[in-house]
Amino acid sequence: MKPNLSPMPSLYRRLLWVSLSSILVVWCLLLTWFYFEVTQVGSGYFDRDLRSVAQTIASVYSVEFKEPERSHLIAKQVDQFSRSYSDAAMPANEFTYRVFDQEGRVLSQSVNWPQLPPPKGSALPNSDGTWRSLMVTSDNRQLQVHVAIASSFVRRAAIEILVFFLLPLMLALPLVMLFLQQGFRCALKPVTELANAIRTREPDAVQPLVNHSSHYKELAPVFDAVNALLLRLSAHREAERRFFADAAHELRTPLAALGAQVHLLQTAENATERAVIADLLQASIDRNAALVGKILVLSRLEAESAKVEVQSFNLAALARATVARHAPHAIARGSELSYDGVAELQYGGDPLALESMLDNLIDNAIRHCPSGTSICVEVEEGQFFARISVADDGLGIAPQWREEVVKRFVRLPEATATGSGLGLAIVQRVVDLHAGTLLLGDGLGGRGLGVEIRLPQKPQAIVPPAAVAPRLLRCK
């Protein structure tokens, strides 16, 4: 595989280019506005100044001015107009004028007058591509002056306006980049300090991150997120420590019992005694295997990275299959296990986790209920949730213990059946991963235990039970 030689994205470069782009955009907007203000036909600075020159000529011809003072005054006014828009003096052949009275008699005109037609009753300038001209009337309404300026001068003035704006920008751009670089380097110093504070922390440090840069509004969310992560890591480490301590404590006694049974098997005096001890040993091995299996399941579910692998599946079919799988165990215990719910309920969730949850609920009900007990499993559709219920009419759990039994390795004092104390903890974790709720209450007919689970995320579809399969499944 070829190494990636492309440069790493840089927040510093991003800020630099965004700032430079903003400056250029603002500069271009100002240039566009100024260019429009200068060159706008009729109301722009260029035409207003040209009209002012024409008014001066009209005023000069309206009073008694002798030559060469009159020509000198007009030339001076034209030169001032030219210097306002171009560094170079305007050639004589690029400006021309004509003066005539009310009857249309020509009183004076430039030697290079191009015989332009007068504007057609409009105060706006005319342009034929070669000349740009306009007409004004003297203050005493006795004279009219028709002035014209070459289009070549207009184009040259426009170019010099662009140069006037763009040249300082091009010259100042390197200096602006230098100042921006230094400014951003100083402004981003708190980010560097934050990175150093995180890099220099010990791997096992979970205390909140403290740094004087945290008071910046932009960095406060980063500090809050990092500290929230550290708190979760701290809680996760503490939970792992307690979990392994509890698991070690719970495994110590069964392993000691296995050792004692192995010793008894070795010292047995006859085949009958050895067979009895071997059966007890096998039962202990099975219980320990079930305990280790549940510890592994709970460890996987309680991992920090545990997430629901969402799949669309038939939750009702999953419940019926679980009931059928536990039917032999229920029959052997003399219990009646039944499914009473919808025939099909499409749901989006983790089928393996929900199957483990149902296995634990049904197994607990079978093992802890006396012979002759009824156990009913239901799956129903709620308005905004899927409802799962496992209820029995057995011994039940006293109300004061119902909040405790969902914790790890908690067993009822009066329990007669053996168990790991992890079944309902696994159920609670699966419900939490699906953002659901777990309710423990009374069971069938107000006796025993009823476990009700509500899982959000409304099921995708439901089929009437009569169209698919029988609603009721019983195993006796």
Side-chain angles (χ1 to χ4, degrees):
M1 181 182 294
K2 293 183 179 179
N4 186 7
L5 301 179
S6 59
M8 183 180 296
S10 169
L11 182 61
Y12 170 76
R13 287 196 298 269
R14 181 184 177 89
L15 285 172
L16 182 62
W17 287 117
V18 168
S19 300
L20 284 176
S21 300
S22 301
I23 292 173
L24 290 174
V25 168
V26 171
W27 201 290
C28 290
L29 289 175
L30 288 174
L31 172 60
T32 303
W33 170 80
F34 185 73
Y35 186 83
F36 177 78
E37 285 293 316
V38 170
T39 61
Q40 186 181 11
V41 175
S43 60
Y45 288 108
F46 189 88
D47 286 337
R48 277 186 280 175
D49 290 344
L50 185 59
R51 188 173 285 108
S52 177
V53 172
Q55 289 285 0
T56 300
I57 296 174
S59 299
V60 167
Y61 276 93
S62 296
V63 298
E64 294 296 331
F65 262 101
K66 296 181 180 180
E67 294 291 349
E69 287 83 1
R70 177 186 291 169
S71 298
H72 177 72
L73 185 59
I74 294 174
K76 184 178 179 180
Q77 188 71 16
V78 172
D79 184 65
Q80 287 179 353
F81 170 79
S82 171
R83 297 289 183 179
S84 299
Y85 296 97
S86 177
D87 291 335
M90 181 168 55
N93 62 351
E94 288 188 335
F95 180 83
T96 184
Y97 68 92
R98 188 180 194 187
V99 183
F100 48 93
D101 59 16
Q102 288 180 323
E103 285 74 24
R105 294 191 300 267
V106 177
L107 303 179
S108 179
Q109 68 178 29
S110 303
V111 294
N112 60 334
W113 178 254
Q115 297 301 323
L116 296 172
K120 297 179 180 179
S122 174
L124 294 177
N126 285 346
S127 178
D128 61 0
T130 304
W131 295 91
R132 184 169 181 167
S133 64
L134 56 82
M135 183 177 291
V136 299
T137 303
S138 63
D139 293 338
N140 58 11
R141 316 297 294 179
Q142 298 297 317
L143 300 176
Q144 285 186 312
V145 178
H146 190 187
V147 297
I149 192 167
S151 297
S152 58
F153 177 81
V154 177
R155 289 191 293 270
R156 191 164 66 250
I159 292 173
E160 293 198 19
I161 290 173
L162 295 176
V163 172
F164 173 78
F165 260 87
L166 294 178
L167 185 60
L169 175 62
M170 300 305 294
L171 294 176
L173 200 57
L175 190 62
V176 171
M177 289 185 65
L178 178 62
F179 283 133
L180 285 176
Q181 285 178 347
Q182 297 302 320
F184 288 147
R185 202 168 272 122
C186 179
L188 292 176
K189 188 177 179 181
V191 179
T192 305
E193 293 175 351
L194 171 61
N196 290 334
I198 296 175
R199 184 167 49 248
T200 55
R201 285 176 68 87
E202 295 296 328
D204 57 346
V206 292
Q207 296 80 13
L209 188 64
V210 179
N211 190 279
H212 69 273
S213 300
S214 61
H215 66 274
Y216 290 102
K217 182 174 68 173
E218 292 78 11
L219 291 181
V222 179
F223 274 90
D224 293 343
V226 170
N227 287 333
L229 175 62
L230 291 174
L231 287 175
R232 292 201 307 272
L233 288 175
S234 177
H236 179 62
R237 285 185 177 181
E238 179 61 21
E240 278 190 337
R241 187 192 64 76
R242 290 198 307 268
F243 180 83
F244 287 117
D246 293 343
H249 176 75
E250 292 296 323
L251 286 172
R252 188 187 317 166
T253 301
L255 290 177
L258 281 176
Q261 289 170 346
V262 170
H263 176 72
L264 290 175
L265 184 62
Q266 292 173 341
T267 58
E269 296 180 354
N270 53 60
T272 302
E273 187 177 351
R274 281 196 295 273
V276 173
I277 296 173
D279 290 341
L280 294 175
L281 181 60
Q282 184 61 49
S284 297
I285 292 173
D286 291 341
R287 284 195 300 271
N288 284 316
L291 174 61
V292 171
K294 290 189 175 183
I295 289 175
L296 291 175
V297 170
L298 188 58
S299 176
R300 178 180 63 84
L301 292 174
E302 289 195 342
E304 180 72 15
S305 59
K307 290 183 176 63
V308 175
E309 297 294 334
V310 177
Q311 300 178 30
S312 179
F313 64 98
N314 187 347
L315 182 60
L318 178 68
R320 290 199 306 273
T322 307
V323 168
R325 190 167 59 253
H326 286 270
H329 186 196
I331 294 172
R333 293 279 299 178
S335 298
E336 179 183 333
L337 177 61
S338 63
Y339 173 79
D340 188 9
V342 297
E344 183 167 338
L345 181 59
Q346 292 297 320
Y347 180 77
D350 188 335
L352 294 179
L354 291 172
E355 183 180 26
S356 176
M357 178 191 74
L358 286 168
D359 277 334
N360 280 281
L361 286 174
I362 297 174
D363 181 68
N364 277 357
I366 294 173
R367 285 190 299 103
H368 291 280
C369 288
S371 177
T373 300
S374 296
I375 304 169
C376 182
V377 179
E378 294 183 8
V379 173
E380 298 286 350
E381 180 194 24
Q383 187 174 2
F384 300 107
F385 54 84
R387 175 181 169 274
I388 303 173
S389 172
V390 178
D392 61 63
D393 57 1
L395 301 177
I397 298 177
Q400 66 269 22
W401 280 97
R402 289 174 183 173
E403 290 187 6
E404 297 296 319
V405 292
V406 296
K407 299 177 181 178
R408 295 192 302 256
F409 302 112
V410 174
R411 301 183 184 90
L412 296 178
E414 68 275 9
T416 56
T418 60
S420 62
L422 292 175
L424 287 177
I426 292 173
V427 171
Q428 180 68 70
R429 183 56 181 160
V430 173
V431 172
D432 290 342
L433 287 175
H434 286 78
T437 56
L438 173 65
L439 304 173
L440 301 185
D442 294 333
L444 300 175
R447 295 179 296 153
L449 177 67
V451 180
E452 181 174 317
I453 297 162
R454 296 182 179 183
L455 303 177
Q457 304 170 4
K458 188 175 181 180
Q460 299 170 3
I462 183 167
V463 179
V468 181
R471 179 182 177 87
L472 188 62
L473 172 66
R474 296 188 182 276
C475 303
K476 293 185 180 181

